[in-house]
């Protein structure tokens, strides 16, 4: 029911984004047709990846000098939503890849071209600072195991976030007294991948774990992804911390799943009469009321998320300044959207009755995918507390703001 809007940037950028959206929508039948293969292989299929790379889907957050889009969080969220309505794993891989690709702005141009230059380039990395980076001549020795590297099945490069130690194994401290950390990038074949992505939802993301031991990574292939002093691009996208770009994209994924679920429910209600019911679902006043309430719940959550992302994106793209209040607004709106979308999908599953349990119907797949999304860090209810503390002028420092 809702059509994506465009960020109020210059007309050329608006036109380009509108074309991207139309092109992405044009391949949604191909995405839907790949559902069974995606789940069976637990990764995106080769044919589908070819279509996605032809569209430049994994380049929308790259700098323009790499033929990237430099899209705003507002725009990226809409792309994720459209993709997730067709297939949640595709939307999720897009969101994860978009956050990772922002690292290109923190690398020297020749290095970023090495990593992201090829048409099929995708960077994936695991969650958290789970590695150890020991300084050595020319770079670091990296050791660690990282989990949840969404998109690792089709990634060409991997990254590992690590705490930094000097050659004597002493923690390296930053100016504020906290230990330094860096993200090291390395070709995927240099890591050991673990076949551990056996899950109920988002099966096609192949969010596997991986390990490296004493791997030498040169200095120029490392970065501090949250240190603006290391950013080599003046594009406003890279002012946003990656966690808020993930929040924007993954809330878009949740909204896309929920949108698809409501639409599926309306479709089945047109022809289904539940056993012993006096009327079809379509003609039932009770169902009519319930589906209207679901529409209102989903549409209001989306309107809130989109209005915040649009306002903050416009402000940052015009002023090149991201305030703490902007961070709090994004965190609140995206967390709320994910949790409201989860509730909508739960209600759709119940209203669909026995039709929801069959694998040849869309409900159980959307239910599984939504409940994988709801378990991810971006959906945590503790984010509400963080924002509430900010609203009360209390300490609200968090890695996720």
């Amino acid at each position: 029911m809702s059509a994506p809007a465009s960020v109020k940037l210059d007309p050329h950028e608006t036109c380009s984004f509108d074309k991207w959206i139309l092109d992405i929508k044009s391949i949604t039948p191909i995405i839907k047709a790949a559902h069974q293969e995606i789940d069976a292989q637990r990764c995106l299929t080769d044919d589908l990846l070819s279509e996605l790379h032809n569209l430049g889907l994994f380049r929308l957050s790259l700098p323009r000098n790499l033929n990237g889009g430099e899209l705003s969080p507002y725009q990226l969220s809409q792309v994720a939503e459209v993709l997730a309505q067709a297939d949640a794993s595709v939307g999720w891989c897009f969101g994860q890849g978009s956050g990772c690709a922002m690292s290109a702005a923190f690398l020297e141009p020749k290095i970023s071209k090495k990593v992201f230059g090829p048409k099929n380039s995708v960077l994936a990395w695991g969650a958290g600072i789970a590695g150890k980076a020991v300084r050595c001549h020319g770079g670091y020795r990296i050791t660690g195991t990282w989990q949840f590297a969404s998109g690792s099945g089709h990634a060409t490069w991997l990254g590992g976030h690590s705490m930094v130690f000097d050659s004597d194994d002493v923690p390296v401290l930053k100016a504020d007294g906290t230990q330094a950390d860096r993200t090291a990038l390395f070709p995927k074949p240099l890591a050991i991948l673990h076949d551990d992505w056996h899950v109920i939802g988002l099966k096609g993301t192949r969010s596997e774990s991986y390990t490296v031991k004493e791997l030498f990574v040169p200095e120029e292939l490392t970065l501090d992804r949250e240190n603006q002093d290391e950013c080599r691009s003046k594009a406003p996208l890279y002012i946003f911390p990656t966690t808020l770009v993930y929040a924007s994209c993954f809330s878009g994924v949740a909204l896309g799943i929920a949108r698809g679920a409501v639409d599926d429910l309306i479709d089945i209600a047109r022809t289904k009469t539940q056993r012993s019911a006096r009327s079809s679902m379509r003609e039932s006043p009770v169902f009519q009321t319930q589906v209207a309430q679901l529409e209102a719940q989903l549409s209001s959550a989306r309107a809130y998320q989109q209005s915040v992302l649009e306002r903050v994106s416009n402000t940052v793209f015009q002023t090149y300044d991201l305030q703490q209040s902007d961070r709090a607004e994004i965190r609140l709106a995206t967390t709320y959207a994910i949790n409201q979308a989860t509730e909508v999908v739960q209600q759709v599953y119940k209203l669909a009755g026995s039709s929801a349990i069959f694998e040849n119907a869309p409900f159980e797949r959307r239910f599984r995918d939504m409940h994988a999304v709801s378990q991810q860090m971006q959906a945590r209810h503790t984010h509400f507390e963080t924002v509430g503390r900010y609203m009360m002028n209390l300490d609200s420092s968090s890695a996720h703001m």
Side-chain angles (χ1 to χ4, degrees), residues 360-371:
N360 63 352
F363 301 102
E364 65 88 27
R365 192 170 191 266
R366 295 198 195 274
F367 184 87
R368 290 187 289 104
D369 287 336
M370 188 71 253
H371 284 80

Side-chain angles (χ1 to χ4, degrees), residues 6 26 41 44 47 121 136 166 174 194 223 234 248-249 339 344 354 364 372:
S6 298
S26 73
Q41 297 179 18
L44 307 189
D47 288 345
S121 295
C136 61
D166 66 19
K174 296 186 288 189
H194 307 291
L223 63 139
K234 295 182 179 180
S248 304
C249 289
N339 283 280
V344 167
S354 59
E364 65 88 27

Side-chain angles (χ1 to χ4, degrees), residues 138-205:
Y140 300 86
R141 293 285 178 185
I142 309 295
T143 299
T145 296
W146 296 266
Q147 296 179 301
F148 303 110
S150 297
S152 61
H154 58 267
T156 52
W157 286 69
L158 296 175
H161 315 309
S162 303
M163 305 306 294
V164 180
F165 296 79
D166 66 19
S167 57
D168 295 322
D169 213 29
V170 176
V172 174
L173 303 182
K174 296 186 288 189
D176 62 3
T178 60
Q179 188 171 0
D181 65 90
R182 293 194 73 73
T183 298
L185 309 184
F186 41 87
K188 185 170 71 171
L190 297 182
I192 300 171
L193 275 79
H194 307 291
D195 184 12
D196 55 8
W197 190 244
H198 301 275
V199 291
I200 66 165
L202 296 178
K203 289 186 176 184
T205 63

Side-chain angles (χ1 to χ4, degrees), residues 20-32:
W20 267 318
I21 286 290
L22 289 174
D23 288 345
I24 291 166
K25 286 183 175 180
S26 73
I27 67 164
T28 53
I30 298 173
I31 296 174
K32 291 178 180 179

